[in-house]
Amino acid sequence: TCNFYQDAIFMSRMAKVMGESNDARSYAGLANRIKRAINKKFFNSETNQYGAGAQAGNAFPLFLGIVPKGHKTAVAENLVKDVKDRGFHQTTGPQGTRYLMLALTMNGHTDVAYKLATQTTQPSWGYMIANGATTLWEFWGGGNHISHNHPFLGSVGEWFYKVLAGIQLEPTGPGFKRFTIKPQIAGDLTWVKGSYDSIYGAIVSDWKRKGNTLILNVTIP
């Protein structure tokens, strides 16, 4: 249902760019109806949880920005509490993992997302590495019955580029004609270097800590 809402938003934006104002309004109206239906069906305003309070269930609405006014902070705090209560482990799968990492960051909890990214006990990406993985497994658990080279849980790569390197697309400039460099300094990281080969040339964000100073070098094509 959240994907349906997101699709309607995308269609509205595309129609607007193409000058189809009637379609843009129609899809925007559809998106609003879906948003109301999601909150009516799944959101509990007393507990500030979506559904049963699963990480993915709370993260996706936070990412989409559809949490009812006045409840966003509480929903985000519930999400953080669940992650902490599980020893900084995720309960998400291929659909929810992306939204968990981004929702935490969007709501001021980048350090929590960083602990997930650097966790080494199961389930985690670090557990895969600690157990000899050179590519991502299909599922957190591992074993010989699954693919050992699978993109399902690879969304953490997006988080590296958007959050740690801070290379972010501006919707007003498609194809990285416009972009923002806004790295977030997380945990015990002392440096990050990320690059993206856009159609205009390489975009590079390269930062490091030096004492109390942050040095940021950027390449803008």
Side-chain angles (χ1 to χ4, degrees), residues 206-220:
D206 179 5
W207 64 260
K208 63 181 177 180
R209 294 181 183 183
K210 192 174 183 179
N212 292 324
T213 302
L214 181 74
I215 301 169
L216 172 64
N217 292 301
V218 300
T219 299
I220 302 174

Side-chain angles (χ1 to χ4, degrees), residues 65-147:
I66 64 173
V67 178
K69 187 176 181 180
H71 293 274
K72 184 173 76 169
T73 298
V75 174
E77 288 175 351
N78 277 331
L79 179 61
V80 169
K81 182 179 185 301
D82 191 87
V83 171
K84 289 181 176 179
D85 287 349
R86 297 175 187 278
F88 291 95
H89 292 92
Q90 58 273 83
T91 62
T92 51
Q95 297 295 327
T97 299
R98 177 190 184 226
Y99 304 113
L100 172 62
M101 298 295 286
L102 294 177
L104 287 169
T105 296
M106 292 164 63
N107 288 276
H109 301 288
T110 299
D111 279 353
V112 176
Y114 178 71
K115 287 184 178 181
L116 288 173
T118 56
Q119 177 65 265
T120 58
T121 55
Q122 191 179 20
S124 68
W125 293 285
Y127 178 82
M128 298 182 194
I129 296 171
N131 284 271
T134 56
T135 51
L136 291 173
W137 298 342
E138 185 177 1
F139 300 117
W140 298 115
N144 293 325
H145 61 291
I146 65 168
S147 169

Side-chain angles (χ1 to χ4, degrees), residues 8-28:
I9 291 292
F10 288 156
M11 291 298 292
S12 179
R13 290 176 183 171
M14 287 188 284
K16 185 177 180 180
V17 169
M18 296 171 66
E20 300 291 346
S21 56
N22 288 336
D23 283 346
R25 285 193 297 271
S26 176
Y27 282 113

